[in-house]
Amino acid sequence: MSDSREKSSDRIQAPYDLKLSKINYGLEFLDKLHLDTVVFAGISGSVSYMPKENDDVDIFLITEDDALWSVIARAFLLRRSLKMHDICISLCMSRSYALHYFSNIEEDLIISDANHVIPVHGHDFYRYLLSIMGKKGNILYERSQKSRVSLRRTVLFSAMSSFLLLKGYFVNIALKRNGKSAEAFRTLAAKDYFILDSEKYRLLKMKASGDSL
């Protein structure tokens, strides 16, 4: 009888062990990423809920306004050098864009995801972002748009965004050829944000909003 109880307990604990393992994997990556110009770093996506064995560990980064693409470049180089292929750098934005983005969040699914994010660095700033969710009219982002953009930042953005857009294009082709269209994604890149918008997540948002597929 006791053996069966122990086995049952093991089965119940396994998902939590998996989640803890993936969180530690994300922490290991972020511990090696220089966070001097990072305002917030956290773990998002399925790991912030209850992940499955094959789920990636999604990393969410918010940086100082003039540092976004240098941090993105550093993060991707670190991921490659450490061969941490289960790390997915899926959501990155500047500080000012984050204020704008969070103040305009209205969808229930995105609100839930934002509240489930696991903060690793910049807890106070993230708490502030959660407090302004849905409160439109933030002028800080508009001001940042008028600021002078350095040549170095422009060149880095052009090079990195072009590379990531091209990489995303070929990855999606490979996924579709292998019958994994559900794992395809769109790469959204601008001077103030970088987002990997998965087909799976797009369908979840449509379902949550009641839109037809």
Side-chain angles (χ1 to χ4, degrees):
M1 180 69 73
S2 62
D3 288 344
S4 66
R5 282 184 191 149
E6 288 175 6
K7 290 179 182 177
S8 175
S9 176
D10 288 344
R11 286 196 296 271
I12 292 171
Q13 291 299 319
Y16 294 96
D17 292 341
L18 176 63
K19 178 172 181 172
L20 182 59
S21 173
K22 287 184 177 290
I23 289 173
N24 286 334
Y25 188 76
L27 291 174
E28 180 184 352
F29 175 80
L30 289 173
D31 186 56
K32 291 178 171 60
L33 181 66
H34 296 301
L35 301 177
D36 51 325
T37 54
V38 175
V39 179
F40 170 78
I43 298 170
S44 58
S46 62
V47 174
S48 66
Y49 288 90
M50 193 57 65
K52 297 178 182 177
E53 186 68 40
N54 295 326
D55 286 347
D56 290 333
V57 178
D58 290 294
I59 299 298
F60 178 13
L61 299 171
I62 301 173
T63 75
E64 297 291 358
D65 287 349
D66 60 349
L68 178 65
W69 284 93
S70 61
V71 171
I72 290 173
R74 198 162 69 229
F76 273 94
L77 286 171
L78 180 65
R79 174 185 179 273
R80 184 179 182 86
S81 66
L82 296 176
K83 298 181 180 179
M84 298 183 76
H85 304 303
D86 288 342
I87 290 291
C88 181
I89 303 159
S90 58
L91 182 59
C92 306
M93 58 185 70
S94 69
R95 179 191 184 101
S96 293
Y97 184 80
L99 291 166
H100 166 77
Y101 176 81
F102 274 78
S103 66
N104 284 276
I105 291 176
E106 294 181 336
E107 298 93 334
D108 289 341
L109 179 61
I110 299 179
I111 290 172
S112 175
D113 289 348
N115 279 299
H116 276 83
V117 167
I118 302 168
V120 176
H121 170 79
H123 296 65
D124 289 343
F125 180 69
Y126 195 70
R127 275 194 292 268
Y128 176 70
L129 289 179
L130 294 180
S131 75
I132 65 169
M133 274 200 299
K135 299 177 182 178
K136 295 183 178 181
N138 197 298
I139 63 172
L140 293 177
Y141 177 62
E142 295 175 3
R143 287 176 182 167
S144 76
Q145 294 296 82
K146 298 176 183 177
S147 63
R148 185 167 59 88
V149 178
S150 69
L151 177 61
R152 177 178 175 275
R153 183 184 173 195
T154 301
V155 170
L156 187 57
F157 162 68
S158 298
M160 279 298 301
S161 61
S162 297
F163 168 74
L164 292 172
L165 286 166
L166 192 61
K167 178 184 177 183
Y169 173 76
F170 285 111
V171 169
N172 280 321
I173 288 178
L175 287 171
K176 289 172 182 177
R177 282 179 178 171
N178 293 321
K180 298 180 179 179
S181 296
E183 297 179 25
F185 58 88
R186 289 188 306 157
T187 303
L188 308 177
K191 289 180 180 178
D192 290 310
Y193 61 81
F194 169 73
I195 301 169
L196 295 183
D197 187 24
S198 70
E199 179 68 12
K200 186 184 298 184
Y201 194 64
R202 185 186 71 82
L203 294 175
L204 281 173
K205 285 192 291 184
M206 289 180 66
K207 185 177 179 180
S209 65
D211 294 338
S212 57
L213 301 182

